[in-house]
Amino acid sequence: MKSDIEIAQSVTPRPIAEIAEELGIPYADLVPYGHDKAKVTEAFMRSVQDKPNGKLILVTAINPTPAGEGKTTTSVGLGQAMQKIGKKAVCALREPSLGPVFGIKGGAAGGGYAQVIPMEDINLHFTGDMHAITAANNLLCAVLDNHLQQGNALSIDPRRVLLKRCLDMNDRALRNIVVGMGGPVHGVPREDSFQITVASEVMAILCLAEDLTDLKRRLGDILVGFTYHDEPVYARDLGVEGAMAALLKDAIQPNLVQTLEHTPVIMHGGPFANIAHGCNSVRATKLALKLADYTITEAGFGADLGAEKFLDIKCRAAGLKPDCVVLVATVRALKYNGGVPKDQLSEENLDALRAGLCNLGAHLSNLKKFGLPVVVAVNRFHTDTDAELRLLTEYCEAEGSPVALAEVFAKGGEGGVALAKKVVEICDSGKADFHTLYDEKLPLKEKMDILAREIYGADEVIYTAAAEKALKKIQSMGMEQLPVCVAKTQYSLSDDPTLLGRPTGFAITVRDIRVSAGAGFLVVLTGDIMTMPGLPKQPAALSIDIAPDGKITGLF
């Protein structure tokens, strides 16, 4: 089989104006970036806001493993399959980050014959949204340090600056730095650090903002630090929110692209789900709902992270109500959860599969707690045996969940027809009775107890001294009544990445709590979550090249 990039380059995209026209978007409401990608104007988004919504389908997955689950591939393939059965569908997906593209995880445009194109552009600079977010964040940092240099009228304590600079690249050397060195004219020396752009609060804000006005308000609400008198300092106190919003005036507009089979895709925003809320923008999802009968969107990593945050944070903030959840699972990943090493996953092992099914069971149970019907999509690999697939199917049926094989990687939309039919049947049945898991007005510890018990399966939540101190400060600021965004490992239901399957008898340890006032949630830090990843020993960047004619190779 051809590589992903070879498959993507073998298909000629249709002019983006044609894709837009089929959705009812006039050419005048497009801002083209070449012939095959464009942004959609604010004026058009306002013009369709009173149209009825289509059905909303959330695609999530079991806990990710080195074997790969193919969540984005399944999302794209499902969109293509909807077209195959005569349904008008739009995919609303996240934008890739350059960090994973050049690191180890890879891009975020799908795979095989279920990809979004032009995949090279999408996985590299795309329409510049990531760069705009980076610039807006770093403008705030520059203004803050300049304020310290120019007399510090706000009495900001340099030791209590919370804001971090950002870069859309994996670079561990920037995790801990010192700025302002070299003498008085070079600034006020202080410890600082970088995080990857997708971990920044500016990214989270862009993805939750309703419009430019809301964007600017949220940017102004970013908590940047505290004064010597222990008073909070916000971006609006520095007067920079207007300039930040100006940098984001184009980035806030959703991007329109297409799949290999020319299904429309609105791709916009992309916070990580282990350190942020892991969903594409509210604006992209809402626009897709107005343009199609079925909107397929995804949430990052496993359902314990991305789906929970999609439902408890994004849906709560935006008033969204999903009609169906697709839970992606693979035989290989379940065998990994059952104790099989990565290099032995191609061998049939029914005992290991049976042992690993508990991870799938946990996610099925958790999703149903939100009042949502779940369809299991078995992303088929060529090494899966009939006996393994039969065991997995029988398990899902015994759990009362519809299940379908998804062979979209190898067959494109045709390989997802069975899944599409089951999803349409569930959506049209009206079985969804969506509700969030907790009342955001509860005290933070009660919200965490609910998440720990109901989603992770923990016995208790332990708070470090630093976390207790942070909570008291949050309470004194009147910000405890915000939704919770848990920063946790994606590899386990617990906060320990080595605990696979469905661990029991463990505690979740909260080591710190941070306020994302602009985004509108509290970030609860558990485990050791790096907000600035590092590159592996053999980065993917070493395999990427470009020919004299401009053709890119080695990108997956």
Side-chain angles (χ1 to χ4, degrees):
M1 186 171 171
K2 296 178 180 178
S3 68
D4 287 353
I5 193 167
E6 288 172 335
I7 293 170
Q9 290 173 342
S10 71
V11 175
T12 301
R14 291 176 57 194
I16 200 63
E18 292 182 7
I19 302 293
E21 185 179 11
E22 291 178 359
L23 292 174
I25 305 174
Y27 185 76
D29 284 310
L30 291 181
V31 182
Y33 282 67
H35 301 291
D36 47 20
K37 52 192 180 292
K39 284 187 170 290
V40 182
T41 66
E42 185 73 31
F44 179 78
M45 295 185 68
R46 286 196 300 268
S47 74
V48 297
Q49 63 185 4
D50 293 329
K51 290 183 63 176
N53 286 338
K55 304 290 187 181
L56 180 57
I57 302 152
L58 171 65
V59 180
T60 185
I62 61 174
N63 287 101
T65 70
E69 287 62 61
K71 184 170 70 274
T72 302
T73 300
T74 302
S75 300
V76 174
L78 178 57
Q80 294 180 157
M82 286 287 192
Q83 276 197 164
K84 291 282 186 185
I85 63 173
K87 303 298 182 182
K88 188 176 183 181
V90 171
C91 297
L93 306 177
R94 297 170 298 160
E95 298 180 52
S97 163
L98 288 177
V101 168
F102 293 126
I104 193 169
K105 183 174 180 289
Y113 288 92
Q115 294 188 64
V116 187
I117 52 175
M119 74 90 86
E120 308 100 304
D121 293 357
I122 290 167
N123 280 311
L124 297 178
H125 297 289
F126 201 18
T127 58
D129 293 346
M130 292 291 180
H131 305 309
I133 293 165
T134 302
N137 181 93
N138 292 344
L139 170 64
L140 177 57
C141 295
V143 168
L144 172 63
D145 278 305
N146 185 61
H147 184 89
L148 296 176
Q149 172 74 2
Q150 303 296 346
N152 196 7
L154 294 173
S155 297
I156 299 170
D157 186 344
R159 301 163 300 177
R160 299 188 65 192
V161 171
L162 304 175
L163 191 64
K164 295 182 179 184
R165 287 170 161 82
C166 72
L167 181 72
D168 191 35
M169 194 65 64
N170 292 359
D171 192 349
R172 63 170 55 84
L174 295 177
R175 288 173 183 164
N176 298 285
I177 62 172
V178 177
V179 298
M181 302 296 286
V185 299
H186 298 292
V188 176
R190 66 178 184 87
E191 292 185 32
D192 198 359
S193 61
F194 274 76
Q195 60 187 347
I196 194 165
T197 297
V198 288
S200 69
E201 187 176 355
V202 176
M203 169 62 85
I205 286 171
L206 182 87
C207 289
L208 291 169
E210 292 284 346
D211 52 31
L212 266 172
T213 301
D214 188 38
L215 175 71
K216 188 165 77 170
R217 178 190 63 79
R218 287 174 177 271
L219 292 171
D221 286 344
I222 294 175
L223 178 64
V224 299
F226 291 91
T227 68
Y228 286 111
H229 306 293
D230 199 29
E231 295 297 323
V233 180
Y234 299 93
R236 60 176 176 269
D237 297 321
L238 294 165
V240 74
E241 71 272 23
M244 293 172 69
L247 280 171
L248 297 169
K249 72 177 181 66
D250 295 325
I252 196 175
Q253 296 176 315
N255 308 296
L256 179 65
V257 282
Q258 63 192 286
T259 72
L260 291 171
E261 297 178 12
H262 313 302
T263 303
V265 177
I266 300 175
M267 185 173 266
H268 193 221
F272 282 172
N274 57 345
I275 46 184
H277 67 289
C279 314
N280 72 323
S281 76
V282 164
R283 287 164 61 82
T285 303
K286 285 190 168 183
L287 176 60
L289 285 168
K290 302 299 183 183
L291 300 179
D293 298 324
Y294 299 90
T295 291
I296 299 143
T297 192
E298 66 174 346
F301 294 127
D304 57 315
L305 284 171
E308 185 274 316
K309 294 172 183 179
F310 177 90
L311 300 168
D312 276 327
I313 295 176
K314 179 175 176 177
C315 289
R316 190 195 307 266
L320 299 172
K321 294 184 177 181
D323 296 278
C324 173
V325 178
V326 175
L327 180 61
V328 180
T330 68
V331 167
R332 292 163 56 86
L334 291 169
K335 286 192 292 189
Y336 184 85
N337 270 281
V340 175
K342 182 182 177 182
D343 60 0
Q344 297 175 26
L345 293 174
S346 297
E347 303 168 14
E348 182 177 275
N349 192 327
L350 296 177
D351 289 338
L353 175 58
R354 197 173 285 110
L357 284 168
C358 59
N359 187 263
L360 173 60
H363 291 295
L364 280 171
S365 174
N366 289 348
L367 290 166
K368 291 174 182 177
K369 292 172 183 176
F370 291 91
L372 294 172
V374 184
V375 178
V376 177
V378 179
N379 183 19
R380 186 173 191 171
F381 282 69
H382 72 278
T383 55
D384 299 344
T385 68
D386 290 341
E388 289 173 330
L389 292 170
R390 185 163 54 249
L391 174 59
L392 176 49
T393 299
E394 289 172 353
Y395 176 84
C396 295
E397 291 172 345
E399 290 290 314
S401 292
V403 57
L405 287 182
E407 299 179 273
V408 297
F409 182 89
K411 300 179 181 179
E414 192 62 42
V417 166
L419 174 62
K421 288 179 178 177
K422 292 201 174 183
V423 168
V424 168
E425 181 182 349
I426 291 294
C427 285
D428 293 350
S429 69
K431 291 182 179 179
D433 184 22
F434 171 66
H435 51 80
T436 53
L437 195 64
Y438 58 81
D439 181 347
E440 75 272 22
K441 293 183 173 56
L442 289 173
L444 180 136
K445 287 189 174 182
E446 288 188 33
K447 289 180 280 198
M448 271 304 299
D449 283 344
I450 291 170
L451 287 174
R453 183 178 63 253
E454 298 293 338
I455 301 299
Y456 312 140
D459 292 339
E460 63 175 325
V461 182
I462 298 170
Y463 295 82
T464 65
E468 292 283 9
K469 182 180 179 181
L471 178 56
K472 287 181 181 178
K473 184 60 182 175
I474 290 167
Q475 290 169 336
S476 72
M477 295 165 63
M479 291 188 177
E480 190 177 13
Q481 295 182 338
L482 290 174
V484 173
C485 182
V486 179
K488 181 183 77 69
T489 178
Q490 64 266 37
Y491 298 114
S492 172
L493 286 161
S494 73
D495 55 0
D496 180 352
T498 66
L499 296 180
L500 303 180
R502 191 175 190 172
T504 58
F506 66 92
I508 292 284
T509 300
V510 175
R511 61 181 179 86
D512 201 1
I513 308 167
R514 297 173 185 169
V515 177
S516 286
F521 52 67
L522 302 173
V523 180
V524 176
L525 296 161
T526 73
D528 186 18
I529 302 298
M530 286 290 181
T531 58
M532 171 51 84
L535 290 171
K537 188 173 183 178
Q538 289 291 321
L542 302 184
S543 302
I544 298 171
D545 201 358
I546 186 167
D549 63 357
K551 185 175 183 180
I552 293 173
T553 58
L555 193 62
F556 323 122

